[in-house]
Amino acid sequence: MKRTVRLATLPLNKGKYGELCSVIGHYSDAKRVFVAHLRQTSLWRLLDRSKSFRDYAKAHGLYPTSINVHLIDQAAFDAVDTCIRHIESCFARANIKAKTWRRFTDENERHYAYACLARYSAIGQIMGGGIPEIPTVAIPPDARAKIAAYLHRVIRDALGSSWPTVVKARSMSLDSTLYSVVDNETRTGKTRRYVQVVGPTRNKRISLPLSGISQVSGNIRVVLDEEHKRAFIHVIYDVARLPKATGPAVALDWGITEVCTDEYGVHHGKEYGPALRSMTERRNKTGKARQGKAQTSRSIKERCWL
């Protein structure tokens, strides 16, 4: 299991924030071109392996000039991941796998249909009017054509005219070659950790001071916080597995004023109730304040109209 942690930086000065916005802007421009290009179903064969699309984009001149080529590589990988997540979300909302299971009762036909749904090259071929050949499944050609026609119809309805677009330049994904981590001492003798990310000019990096000391490694994502003129570093950590349960089985009753109560009447997580009450009161107070502002705005508009 893994979890993503957001590490906040200190507020950045105007020059450093501007450089970071410039880099993320170049990254987003490249990703926007890649995502729009991948709308062609004939190119979905490249979604099975992100490096294939990277090579395709380089060969067809989709890479911008005077920009760090490794940064654009990450934009290409990010574009592939974005398109895959969009396709999978459309499939999940339309329950395509469940519909396919109900539609076909023969095990070989189900195997062929699921094998097609597991390969983006096969999905792209189906959307182009083709009939994929799956070497591991032996079924007659007429059965393959029937399944391909059904999948074409349900996939077309699931996707519709939707396709992801890159609207705002707010984040970029970096691998370990595009950033480094250094520790420096402040004037007060404290240790300050910096994440030095790729900059807009050659051989120059942007030092982002973290607000705390945390481990930064592997692939990261830099996200702009436009309101506070800073950035967040998203880092993925491994979650330690829980040890195997020991002792006798105990029945639990989940509650609201506490997390749970066991069969012996012992309450666990008694602080859950007060915390839930505090969050509810805060949300209620915020909602009333927003409603009051909205009513005031409407009354002002009505008076202006009169």
Side-chain angles (χ1 to χ4, degrees), residues 82-118:
T82 298
C83 296
I84 289 175
R85 285 188 285 112
H86 174 76
I87 294 172
E88 292 298 331
S89 65
C90 291
F91 285 8
R93 288 197 301 268
N95 293 321
I96 287 183
K97 291 186 176 180
K99 291 178 179 178
T100 303
W101 177 270
R102 293 192 296 267
R103 176 77 176 191
F104 304 104
T105 57
D106 183 76
E107 289 299 325
N108 288 331
E109 292 182 347
R110 285 176 176 173
H111 187 185
Y112 176 80
Y114 284 135
C116 290
L117 293 174

PDB file of all heavy atoms in Angstrom, residues 82-118:
ATOM      1  N   THR A  82      -3.003  10.361 -17.763  1.00  0.00           N
ATOM      2  CA  THR A  82      -4.266  11.098 -17.727  1.00  0.00           C
ATOM      3  C   THR A  82      -5.298  10.472 -18.657  1.00  0.00           C
ATOM      4  O   THR A  82      -6.471  10.315 -18.288  1.00  0.00           O
ATOM      5  CB  THR A  82      -4.027  12.568 -18.123  1.00  0.00           C
ATOM      6  OG1 THR A  82      -3.136  13.169 -17.179  1.00  0.00           O
ATOM      7  CG2 THR A  82      -5.328  13.347 -18.143  1.00  0.00           C
ATOM      8  N   CYS A  83      -4.891  10.113 -19.862  1.00  0.00           N
ATOM      9  CA  CYS A  83      -5.821   9.495 -20.822  1.00  0.00           C
ATOM     10  C   CYS A  83      -6.291   8.127 -20.338  1.00  0.00           C
ATOM     11  O   CYS A  83      -7.475   7.777 -20.484  1.00  0.00           O
ATOM     12  CB  CYS A  83      -5.155   9.382 -22.189  1.00  0.00           C
ATOM     13  SG  CYS A  83      -4.756  10.977 -22.948  1.00  0.00           S
ATOM     14  N   ILE A  84      -5.380   7.360 -19.757  1.00  0.00           N
ATOM     15  CA  ILE A  84      -5.758   6.040 -19.246  1.00  0.00           C
ATOM     16  C   ILE A  84      -6.777   6.172 -18.124  1.00  0.00           C
ATOM     17  O   ILE A  84      -7.788   5.447 -18.084  1.00  0.00           O
ATOM     18  CB  ILE A  84      -4.505   5.280 -18.769  1.00  0.00           C
ATOM     19  CG1 ILE A  84      -3.658   4.858 -19.971  1.00  0.00           C
ATOM     20  CG2 ILE A  84      -4.895   4.068 -17.936  1.00  0.00           C
ATOM     21  CD1 ILE A  84      -2.353   4.201 -19.585  1.00  0.00           C
ATOM     22  N   ARG A  85      -6.537   7.101 -17.204  1.00  0.00           N
ATOM     23  CA  ARG A  85      -7.467   7.276 -16.090  1.00  0.00           C
ATOM     24  C   ARG A  85      -8.827   7.761 -16.572  1.00  0.00           C
ATOM     25  O   ARG A  85      -9.863   7.382 -16.015  1.00  0.00           O
ATOM     26  CB  ARG A  85      -6.878   8.250 -15.066  1.00  0.00           C
ATOM     27  CG  ARG A  85      -5.764   7.640 -14.233  1.00  0.00           C
ATOM     28  CD  ARG A  85      -5.300   8.524 -13.099  1.00  0.00           C
ATOM     29  NE  ARG A  85      -4.487   9.624 -13.577  1.00  0.00           N
ATOM     30  CZ  ARG A  85      -4.847  10.881 -13.555  1.00  0.00           C
ATOM     31  NH1 ARG A  85      -6.049  11.204 -13.104  1.00  0.00           N
ATOM     32  NH2 ARG A  85      -4.052  11.842 -13.988  1.00  0.00           N
ATOM     33  N   HIS A  86      -8.844   8.567 -17.622  1.00  0.00           N
ATOM     34  CA  HIS A  86     -10.123   9.019 -18.167  1.00  0.00           C
ATOM     35  C   HIS A  86     -10.895   7.849 -18.783  1.00  0.00           C
ATOM     36  O   HIS A  86     -12.103   7.695 -18.540  1.00  0.00           O
ATOM     37  CB  HIS A  86      -9.885  10.096 -19.224  1.00  0.00           C
ATOM     38  CG  HIS A  86     -11.130  10.519 -19.929  1.00  0.00           C
ATOM     39  ND1 HIS A  86     -12.073  11.344 -19.354  1.00  0.00           N
ATOM     40  CD2 HIS A  86     -11.613  10.207 -21.178  1.00  0.00           C
ATOM     41  CE1 HIS A  86     -13.065  11.533 -20.198  1.00  0.00           C
ATOM     42  NE2 HIS A  86     -12.817  10.862 -21.312  1.00  0.00           N
ATOM     43  N   ILE A  87     -10.206   7.039 -19.568  1.00  0.00           N
ATOM     44  CA  ILE A  87     -10.870   5.896 -20.195  1.00  0.00           C
ATOM     45  C   ILE A  87     -11.398   4.934 -19.139  1.00  0.00           C
ATOM     46  O   ILE A  87     -12.552   4.474 -19.201  1.00  0.00           O
ATOM     47  CB  ILE A  87      -9.896   5.181 -21.150  1.00  0.00           C
ATOM     48  CG1 ILE A  87      -9.534   6.091 -22.326  1.00  0.00           C
ATOM     49  CG2 ILE A  87     -10.505   3.876 -21.667  1.00  0.00           C
ATOM     50  CD1 ILE A  87      -8.442   5.537 -23.216  1.00  0.00           C
ATOM     51  N   GLU A  88     -10.585   4.635 -18.142  1.00  0.00           N
ATOM     52  CA  GLU A  88     -10.997   3.697 -17.103  1.00  0.00           C
ATOM     53  C   GLU A  88     -12.164   4.248 -16.283  1.00  0.00           C
ATOM     54  O   GLU A  88     -13.045   3.491 -15.870  1.00  0.00           O
ATOM     55  CB  GLU A  88      -9.815   3.374 -16.188  1.00  0.00           C
ATOM     56  CG  GLU A  88      -8.705   2.578 -16.861  1.00  0.00           C
ATOM     57  CD  GLU A  88      -9.173   1.218 -17.343  1.00  0.00           C
ATOM     58  OE1 GLU A  88     -10.104   0.650 -16.736  1.00  0.00           O
ATOM     59  OE2 GLU A  88      -8.618   0.719 -18.335  1.00  0.00           O
ATOM     60  N   SER A  89     -12.166   5.558 -16.023  1.00  0.00           N
ATOM     61  CA  SER A  89     -13.281   6.136 -15.265  1.00  0.00           C
ATOM     62  C   SER A  89     -14.576   6.058 -16.059  1.00  0.00           C
ATOM     63  O   SER A  89     -15.648   5.796 -15.497  1.00  0.00           O
ATOM     64  CB  SER A  89     -12.962   7.589 -14.898  1.00  0.00           C
ATOM     65  OG  SER A  89     -12.867   8.397 -16.057  1.00  0.00           O
ATOM     66  N   CYS A  90     -14.501   6.287 -17.375  1.00  0.00           N
ATOM     67  CA  CYS A  90     -15.693   6.149 -18.217  1.00  0.00           C
ATOM     68  C   CYS A  90     -16.195   4.718 -18.233  1.00  0.00           C
ATOM     69  O   CYS A  90     -17.410   4.470 -18.171  1.00  0.00           O
ATOM     70  CB  CYS A  90     -15.387   6.623 -19.634  1.00  0.00           C
ATOM     71  SG  CYS A  90     -15.120   8.405 -19.810  1.00  0.00           S
ATOM     72  N   PHE A  91     -15.268   3.760 -18.298  1.00  0.00           N
ATOM     73  CA  PHE A  91     -15.656   2.352 -18.272  1.00  0.00           C
ATOM     74  C   PHE A  91     -16.315   1.994 -16.940  1.00  0.00           C
ATOM     75  O   PHE A  91     -17.304   1.250 -16.903  1.00  0.00           O
ATOM     76  CB  PHE A  91     -14.430   1.470 -18.488  1.00  0.00           C
ATOM     77  CG  PHE A  91     -13.945   1.438 -19.915  1.00  0.00           C
ATOM     78  CD1 PHE A  91     -14.489   2.281 -20.863  1.00  0.00           C
ATOM     79  CD2 PHE A  91     -12.938   0.566 -20.312  1.00  0.00           C
ATOM     80  CE1 PHE A  91     -14.051   2.272 -22.181  1.00  0.00           C
ATOM     81  CE2 PHE A  91     -12.481   0.536 -21.619  1.00  0.00           C
ATOM     82  CZ  PHE A  91     -13.040   1.393 -22.561  1.00  0.00           C
ATOM     83  N   ALA A  92     -15.763   2.527 -15.839  1.00  0.00           N
ATOM     84  CA  ALA A  92     -16.306   2.199 -14.522  1.00  0.00           C
ATOM     85  C   ALA A  92     -17.709   2.799 -14.349  1.00  0.00           C
ATOM     86  O   ALA A  92     -18.613   2.130 -13.813  1.00  0.00           O
ATOM     87  CB  ALA A  92     -15.373   2.713 -13.433  1.00  0.00           C
ATOM     88  N   ARG A  93     -17.894   4.040 -14.792  1.00  0.00           N
ATOM     89  CA  ARG A  93     -19.220   4.665 -14.648  1.00  0.00           C
ATOM     90  C   ARG A  93     -20.266   3.943 -15.488  1.00  0.00           C
ATOM     91  O   ARG A  93     -21.435   3.862 -15.095  1.00  0.00           O
ATOM     92  CB  ARG A  93     -19.157   6.139 -15.047  1.00  0.00           C
ATOM     93  CG  ARG A  93     -18.432   7.031 -14.061  1.00  0.00           C
ATOM     94  CD  ARG A  93     -18.774   8.501 -14.317  1.00  0.00           C
ATOM     95  NE  ARG A  93     -18.413   8.897 -15.663  1.00  0.00           N
ATOM     96  CZ  ARG A  93     -17.248   9.428 -15.998  1.00  0.00           C
ATOM     97  NH1 ARG A  93     -16.322   9.614 -15.067  1.00  0.00           N
ATOM     98  NH2 ARG A  93     -16.983   9.778 -17.248  1.00  0.00           N
ATOM     99  N   ALA A  94     -19.866   3.418 -16.640  1.00  0.00           N
ATOM    100  CA  ALA A  94     -20.811   2.737 -17.524  1.00  0.00           C
ATOM    101  C   ALA A  94     -20.959   1.251 -17.185  1.00  0.00           C
ATOM    102  O   ALA A  94     -21.769   0.564 -17.835  1.00  0.00           O
ATOM    103  CB  ALA A  94     -20.375   2.888 -18.979  1.00  0.00           C
ATOM    104  N   ASN A  95     -20.186   0.752 -16.217  1.00  0.00           N
ATOM    105  CA  ASN A  95     -20.254  -0.669 -15.825  1.00  0.00           C
ATOM    106  C   ASN A  95     -20.076  -1.593 -17.030  1.00  0.00           C
ATOM    107  O   ASN A  95     -20.848  -2.542 -17.242  1.00  0.00           O
ATOM    108  CB  ASN A  95     -21.583  -0.981 -15.130  1.00  0.00           C
ATOM    109  CG  ASN A  95     -21.722  -0.296 -13.793  1.00  0.00           C
ATOM    110  OD1 ASN A  95     -20.748  -0.192 -13.042  1.00  0.00           O
ATOM    111  ND2 ASN A  95     -22.903   0.187 -13.487  1.00  0.00           N
ATOM    112  N   ILE A  96     -19.070  -1.307 -17.835  1.00  0.00           N
ATOM    113  CA  ILE A  96     -18.878  -2.070 -19.068  1.00  0.00           C
ATOM    114  C   ILE A  96     -18.554  -3.533 -18.780  1.00  0.00           C
ATOM    115  O   ILE A  96     -19.064  -4.438 -19.451  1.00  0.00           O
ATOM    116  CB  ILE A  96     -17.774  -1.417 -19.920  1.00  0.00           C
ATOM    117  CG1 ILE A  96     -18.302  -0.133 -20.538  1.00  0.00           C
ATOM    118  CG2 ILE A  96     -17.297  -2.361 -21.021  1.00  0.00           C
ATOM    119  CD1 ILE A  96     -17.335   0.566 -21.450  1.00  0.00           C
ATOM    120  N   LYS A  97     -17.722  -3.796 -17.781  1.00  0.00           N
ATOM    121  CA  LYS A  97     -17.370  -5.185 -17.481  1.00  0.00           C
ATOM    122  C   LYS A  97     -18.579  -5.975 -17.001  1.00  0.00           C
ATOM    123  O   LYS A  97     -18.754  -7.146 -17.363  1.00  0.00           O
ATOM    124  CB  LYS A  97     -16.242  -5.223 -16.454  1.00  0.00           C
ATOM    125  CG  LYS A  97     -14.908  -4.734 -16.989  1.00  0.00           C
ATOM    126  CD  LYS A  97     -13.791  -4.937 -15.985  1.00  0.00           C
ATOM    127  CE  LYS A  97     -12.454  -4.518 -16.590  1.00  0.00           C
ATOM    128  NZ  LYS A  97     -11.320  -4.711 -15.639  1.00  0.00           N
ATOM    129  N   ALA A  98     -19.425  -5.343 -16.178  1.00  0.00           N
ATOM    130  CA  ALA A  98     -20.630  -6.031 -15.717  1.00  0.00           C
ATOM    131  C   ALA A  98     -21.590  -6.282 -16.878  1.00  0.00           C
ATOM    132  O   ALA A  98     -22.199  -7.360 -16.974  1.00  0.00           O
ATOM    133  CB  ALA A  98     -21.311  -5.200 -14.630  1.00  0.00           C
ATOM    134  N   LYS A  99     -21.727  -5.320 -17.763  1.00  0.00           N
ATOM    135  CA  LYS A  99     -22.596  -5.505 -18.932  1.00  0.00           C
ATOM    136  C   LYS A  99     -22.070  -6.618 -19.825  1.00  0.00           C
ATOM    137  O   LYS A  99     -22.848  -7.421 -20.365  1.00  0.00           O
ATOM    138  CB  LYS A  99     -22.685  -4.201 -19.725  1.00  0.00           C
ATOM    139  CG  LYS A  99     -23.440  -3.092 -19.022  1.00  0.00           C
ATOM    140  CD  LYS A  99     -23.447  -1.817 -19.867  1.00  0.00           C
ATOM    141  CE  LYS A  99     -24.221  -0.699 -19.180  1.00  0.00           C
ATOM    142  NZ  LYS A  99     -24.191   0.561 -19.963  1.00  0.00           N
ATOM    143  N   THR A 100     -20.744  -6.668 -19.982  1.00  0.00           N
ATOM    144  CA  THR A 100     -20.155  -7.722 -20.811  1.00  0.00           C
ATOM    145  C   THR A 100     -20.386  -9.093 -20.192  1.00  0.00           C
ATOM    146  O   THR A 100     -20.657 -10.076 -20.905  1.00  0.00           O
ATOM    147  CB  THR A 100     -18.652  -7.461 -20.988  1.00  0.00           C
ATOM    148  OG1 THR A 100     -18.463  -6.156 -21.553  1.00  0.00           O
ATOM    149  CG2 THR A 100     -18.016  -8.494 -21.887  1.00  0.00           C
ATOM    150  N   TRP A 101     -20.277  -9.186 -18.879  1.00  0.00           N
ATOM    151  CA  TRP A 101     -20.503 -10.458 -18.189  1.00  0.00           C
ATOM    152  C   TRP A 101     -21.937 -10.938 -18.402  1.00  0.00           C
ATOM    153  O   TRP A 101     -22.181 -12.135 -18.626  1.00  0.00           O
ATOM    154  CB  TRP A 101     -20.211 -10.294 -16.702  1.00  0.00           C
ATOM    155  CG  TRP A 101     -20.480 -11.520 -15.886  1.00  0.00           C
ATOM    156  CD1 TRP A 101     -21.644 -11.882 -15.274  1.00  0.00           C
ATOM    157  CD2 TRP A 101     -19.545 -12.575 -15.617  1.00  0.00           C
ATOM    158  NE1 TRP A 101     -21.508 -13.077 -14.635  1.00  0.00           N
ATOM    159  CE2 TRP A 101     -20.234 -13.533 -14.820  1.00  0.00           C
ATOM    160  CE3 TRP A 101     -18.225 -12.798 -15.951  1.00  0.00           C
ATOM    161  CZ2 TRP A 101     -19.618 -14.680 -14.360  1.00  0.00           C
ATOM    162  CZ3 TRP A 101     -17.615 -13.945 -15.490  1.00  0.00           C
ATOM    163  CH2 TRP A 101     -18.298 -14.878 -14.717  1.00  0.00           C
ATOM    164  N   ARG A 102     -22.892 -10.024 -18.325  1.00  0.00           N
ATOM    165  CA  ARG A 102     -24.292 -10.409 -18.511  1.00  0.00           C
ATOM    166  C   ARG A 102     -24.607 -10.712 -19.971  1.00  0.00           C
ATOM    167  O   ARG A 102     -25.491 -11.520 -20.268  1.00  0.00           O
ATOM    168  CB  ARG A 102     -25.216  -9.303 -17.989  1.00  0.00           C
ATOM    169  CG  ARG A 102     -25.173  -9.095 -16.486  1.00  0.00           C
ATOM    170  CD  ARG A 102     -26.305  -8.200 -16.022  1.00  0.00           C
ATOM    171  NE  ARG A 102     -26.183  -6.853 -16.566  1.00  0.00           N
ATOM    172  CZ  ARG A 102     -25.567  -5.850 -15.932  1.00  0.00           C
ATOM    173  NH1 ARG A 102     -25.027  -6.061 -14.735  1.00  0.00           N
ATOM    174  NH2 ARG A 102     -25.512  -4.658 -16.483  1.00  0.00           N
ATOM    175  N   ARG A 103     -23.897 -10.065 -20.879  1.00  0.00           N
ATOM    176  CA  ARG A 103     -24.196 -10.221 -22.305  1.00  0.00           C
ATOM    177  C   ARG A 103     -23.755 -11.577 -22.828  1.00  0.00           C
ATOM    178  O   ARG A 103     -24.487 -12.228 -23.598  1.00  0.00           O
ATOM    179  CB  ARG A 103     -23.483  -9.119 -23.081  1.00  0.00           C
ATOM    180  CG  ARG A 103     -23.613  -9.203 -24.586  1.00  0.00           C
ATOM    181  CD  ARG A 103     -24.953  -8.730 -25.061  1.00  0.00           C
ATOM    182  NE  ARG A 103     -25.040  -8.724 -26.520  1.00  0.00           N
ATOM    183  CZ  ARG A 103     -26.009  -8.161 -27.208  1.00  0.00           C
ATOM    184  NH1 ARG A 103     -26.984  -7.526 -26.568  1.00  0.00           N
ATOM    185  NH2 ARG A 103     -26.013  -8.199 -28.530  1.00  0.00           N
ATOM    186  N   PHE A 104     -22.571 -12.020 -22.417  1.00  0.00           N
ATOM    187  CA  PHE A 104     -22.003 -13.262 -22.945  1.00  0.00           C
ATOM    188  C   PHE A 104     -21.927 -14.298 -21.836  1.00  0.00           C
ATOM    189  O   PHE A 104     -21.424 -14.032 -20.747  1.00  0.00           O
ATOM    190  CB  PHE A 104     -20.616 -13.007 -23.536  1.00  0.00           C
ATOM    191  CG  PHE A 104     -20.592 -11.947 -24.595  1.00  0.00           C
ATOM    192  CD1 PHE A 104     -20.097 -10.679 -24.319  1.00  0.00           C
ATOM    193  CD2 PHE A 104     -21.092 -12.196 -25.865  1.00  0.00           C
ATOM    194  CE1 PHE A 104     -20.084  -9.692 -25.279  1.00  0.00           C
ATOM    195  CE2 PHE A 104     -21.084 -11.211 -26.847  1.00  0.00           C
ATOM    196  CZ  PHE A 104     -20.583  -9.951 -26.554  1.00  0.00           C
ATOM    197  N   THR A 105     -22.411 -15.480 -22.134  1.00  0.00           N
ATOM    198  CA  THR A 105     -22.422 -16.562 -21.143  1.00  0.00           C
ATOM    199  C   THR A 105     -21.316 -17.584 -21.390  1.00  0.00           C
ATOM    200  O   THR A 105     -20.939 -18.302 -20.477  1.00  0.00           O
ATOM    201  CB  THR A 105     -23.784 -17.267 -21.156  1.00  0.00           C
ATOM    202  OG1 THR A 105     -24.049 -17.749 -22.490  1.00  0.00           O
ATOM    203  CG2 THR A 105     -24.889 -16.299 -20.749  1.00  0.00           C
ATOM    204  N   ASP A 106     -20.815 -17.660 -22.609  1.00  0.00           N
ATOM    205  CA  ASP A 106     -19.749 -18.610 -22.917  1.00  0.00           C
ATOM    206  C   ASP A 106     -18.431 -18.117 -22.313  1.00  0.00           C
ATOM    207  O   ASP A 106     -18.085 -16.939 -22.418  1.00  0.00           O
ATOM    208  CB  ASP A 106     -19.601 -18.760 -24.432  1.00  0.00           C
ATOM    209  CG  ASP A 106     -18.542 -19.793 -24.795  1.00  0.00           C
ATOM    210  OD1 ASP A 106     -18.816 -20.991 -24.678  1.00  0.00           O
ATOM    211  OD2 ASP A 106     -17.427 -19.358 -25.182  1.00  0.00           O
ATOM    212  N   GLU A 107     -17.696 -19.018 -21.649  1.00  0.00           N
ATOM    213  CA  GLU A 107     -16.462 -18.625 -20.969  1.00  0.00           C
ATOM    214  C   GLU A 107     -15.413 -18.103 -21.947  1.00  0.00           C
ATOM    215  O   GLU A 107     -14.697 -17.142 -21.646  1.00  0.00           O
ATOM    216  CB  GLU A 107     -15.903 -19.815 -20.178  1.00  0.00           C
ATOM    217  CG  GLU A 107     -16.732 -20.182 -18.952  1.00  0.00           C
ATOM    218  CD  GLU A 107     -16.789 -19.036 -17.948  1.00  0.00           C
ATOM    219  OE1 GLU A 107     -15.781 -18.307 -17.827  1.00  0.00           O
ATOM    220  OE2 GLU A 107     -17.828 -18.866 -17.296  1.00  0.00           O
ATOM    221  N   ASN A 108     -15.285 -18.730 -23.115  1.00  0.00           N
ATOM    222  CA  ASN A 108     -14.306 -18.269 -24.087  1.00  0.00           C
ATOM    223  C   ASN A 108     -14.652 -16.876 -24.620  1.00  0.00           C
ATOM    224  O   ASN A 108     -13.760 -16.040 -24.848  1.00  0.00           O
ATOM    225  CB  ASN A 108     -14.211 -19.264 -25.251  1.00  0.00           C
ATOM    226  CG  ASN A 108     -13.527 -20.554 -24.840  1.00  0.00           C
ATOM    227  OD1 ASN A 108     -12.691 -20.563 -23.946  1.00  0.00           O
ATOM    228  ND2 ASN A 108     -13.895 -21.648 -25.497  1.00  0.00           N
ATOM    229  N   GLU A 109     -15.948 -16.628 -24.825  1.00  0.00           N
ATOM    230  CA  GLU A 109     -16.358 -15.301 -25.288  1.00  0.00           C
ATOM    231  C   GLU A 109     -16.086 -14.248 -24.222  1.00  0.00           C
ATOM    232  O   GLU A 109     -15.631 -13.136 -24.526  1.00  0.00           O
ATOM    233  CB  GLU A 109     -17.842 -15.324 -25.664  1.00  0.00           C
ATOM    234  CG  GLU A 109     -18.147 -16.163 -26.899  1.00  0.00           C
ATOM    235  CD  GLU A 109     -19.616 -16.126 -27.253  1.00  0.00           C
ATOM    236  OE1 GLU A 109     -20.424 -15.657 -26.410  1.00  0.00           O
ATOM    237  OE2 GLU A 109     -19.970 -16.564 -28.369  1.00  0.00           O
ATOM    238  N   ARG A 110     -16.367 -14.599 -22.973  1.00  0.00           N
ATOM    239  CA  ARG A 110     -16.058 -13.661 -21.884  1.00  0.00           C
ATOM    240  C   ARG A 110     -14.551 -13.408 -21.801  1.00  0.00           C
ATOM    241  O   ARG A 110     -14.108 -12.268 -21.607  1.00  0.00           O
ATOM    242  CB  ARG A 110     -16.564 -14.213 -20.560  1.00  0.00           C
ATOM    243  CG  ARG A 110     -18.065 -14.121 -20.368  1.00  0.00           C
ATOM    244  CD  ARG A 110     -18.478 -14.777 -19.065  1.00  0.00           C
ATOM    245  NE  ARG A 110     -19.909 -14.617 -18.808  1.00  0.00           N
ATOM    246  CZ  ARG A 110     -20.540 -15.212 -17.800  1.00  0.00           C
ATOM    247  NH1 ARG A 110     -19.878 -16.016 -16.976  1.00  0.00           N
ATOM    248  NH2 ARG A 110     -21.833 -15.009 -17.618  1.00  0.00           N
ATOM    249  N   HIS A 111     -13.796 -14.475 -21.940  1.00  0.00           N
ATOM    250  CA  HIS A 111     -12.333 -14.341 -21.893  1.00  0.00           C
ATOM    251  C   HIS A 111     -11.841 -13.417 -22.996  1.00  0.00           C
ATOM    252  O   HIS A 111     -10.994 -12.537 -22.766  1.00  0.00           O
ATOM    253  CB  HIS A 111     -11.693 -15.724 -22.016  1.00  0.00           C
ATOM    254  CG  HIS A 111     -10.225 -15.721 -21.807  1.00  0.00           C
ATOM    255  ND1 HIS A 111      -9.443 -16.857 -21.984  1.00  0.00           N
ATOM    256  CD2 HIS A 111      -9.353 -14.732 -21.444  1.00  0.00           C
ATOM    257  CE1 HIS A 111      -8.174 -16.550 -21.738  1.00  0.00           C
ATOM    258  NE2 HIS A 111      -8.106 -15.269 -21.416  1.00  0.00           N
ATOM    259  N   TYR A 112     -12.370 -13.577 -24.180  1.00  0.00           N
ATOM    260  CA  TYR A 112     -11.961 -12.723 -25.304  1.00  0.00           C
ATOM    261  C   TYR A 112     -12.359 -11.273 -25.057  1.00  0.00           C
ATOM    262  O   TYR A 112     -11.569 -10.345 -25.302  1.00  0.00           O
ATOM    263  CB  TYR A 112     -12.613 -13.234 -26.592  1.00  0.00           C
ATOM    264  CG  TYR A 112     -12.335 -12.363 -27.798  1.00  0.00           C
ATOM    265  CD1 TYR A 112     -11.139 -12.448 -28.501  1.00  0.00           C
ATOM    266  CD2 TYR A 112     -13.283 -11.424 -28.230  1.00  0.00           C
ATOM    267  CE1 TYR A 112     -10.891 -11.639 -29.600  1.00  0.00           C
ATOM    268  CE2 TYR A 112     -13.041 -10.617 -29.332  1.00  0.00           C
ATOM    269  CZ  TYR A 112     -11.842 -10.725 -30.005  1.00  0.00           C
ATOM    270  OH  TYR A 112     -11.590  -9.917 -31.082  1.00  0.00           O
ATOM    271  N   ALA A 113     -13.584 -11.056 -24.562  1.00  0.00           N
ATOM    272  CA  ALA A 113     -14.053  -9.688 -24.327  1.00  0.00           C
ATOM    273  C   ALA A 113     -13.210  -8.996 -23.260  1.00  0.00           C
ATOM    274  O   ALA A 113     -12.792  -7.842 -23.426  1.00  0.00           O
ATOM    275  CB  ALA A 113     -15.526  -9.701 -23.913  1.00  0.00           C
ATOM    276  N   TYR A 114     -12.930  -9.696 -22.166  1.00  0.00           N
ATOM    277  CA  TYR A 114     -12.124  -9.096 -21.092  1.00  0.00           C
ATOM    278  C   TYR A 114     -10.678  -8.888 -21.536  1.00  0.00           C
ATOM    279  O   TYR A 114     -10.034  -7.921 -21.112  1.00  0.00           O
ATOM    280  CB  TYR A 114     -12.183  -9.962 -19.839  1.00  0.00           C
ATOM    281  CG  TYR A 114     -13.484  -9.847 -19.082  1.00  0.00           C
ATOM    282  CD1 TYR A 114     -14.148 -10.963 -18.604  1.00  0.00           C
ATOM    283  CD2 TYR A 114     -14.058  -8.594 -18.852  1.00  0.00           C
ATOM    284  CE1 TYR A 114     -15.342 -10.852 -17.910  1.00  0.00           C
ATOM    285  CE2 TYR A 114     -15.254  -8.480 -18.163  1.00  0.00           C
ATOM    286  CZ  TYR A 114     -15.888  -9.603 -17.682  1.00  0.00           C
ATOM    287  OH  TYR A 114     -17.072  -9.484 -16.996  1.00  0.00           O
ATOM    288  N   ALA A 115     -10.179  -9.778 -22.377  1.00  0.00           N
ATOM    289  CA  ALA A 115      -8.821  -9.591 -22.893  1.00  0.00           C
ATOM    290  C   ALA A 115      -8.744  -8.342 -23.772  1.00  0.00           C
ATOM    291  O   ALA A 115      -7.740  -7.618 -23.758  1.00  0.00           O
ATOM    292  CB  ALA A 115      -8.381 -10.824 -23.676  1.00  0.00           C
ATOM    293  N   CYS A 116      -9.800  -8.074 -24.521  1.00  0.00           N
ATOM    294  CA  CYS A 116      -9.834  -6.853 -25.339  1.00  0.00           C
ATOM    295  C   CYS A 116      -9.879  -5.616 -24.455  1.00  0.00           C
ATOM    296  O   CYS A 116      -9.200  -4.614 -24.726  1.00  0.00           O
ATOM    297  CB  CYS A 116     -11.047  -6.873 -26.265  1.00  0.00           C
ATOM    298  SG  CYS A 116     -10.947  -8.084 -27.609  1.00  0.00           S
ATOM    299  N   LEU A 117     -10.663  -5.665 -23.385  1.00  0.00           N
ATOM    300  CA  LEU A 117     -10.778  -4.514 -22.494  1.00  0.00           C
ATOM    301  C   LEU A 117      -9.506  -4.270 -21.697  1.00  0.00           C
ATOM    302  O   LEU A 117      -9.306  -3.171 -21.180  1.00  0.00           O
ATOM    303  CB  LEU A 117     -11.957  -4.712 -21.528  1.00  0.00           C
ATOM    304  CG  LEU A 117     -13.347  -4.717 -22.152  1.00  0.00           C
ATOM    305  CD1 LEU A 117     -14.400  -5.056 -21.118  1.00  0.00           C
ATOM    306  CD2 LEU A 117     -13.651  -3.370 -22.800  1.00  0.00           C
ATOM    307  N   ALA A 118      -8.648  -5.277 -21.605  1.00  0.00           N
ATOM    308  CA  ALA A 118      -7.405  -5.132 -20.847  1.00  0.00           C
ATOM    309  C   ALA A 118      -6.267  -4.569 -21.685  1.00  0.00           C
ATOM    310  O   ALA A 118      -5.212  -4.258 -21.142  1.00  0.00           O
ATOM    311  CB  ALA A 118      -6.983  -6.486 -20.261  1.00  0.00           C
TER     312      ALA A 118
END
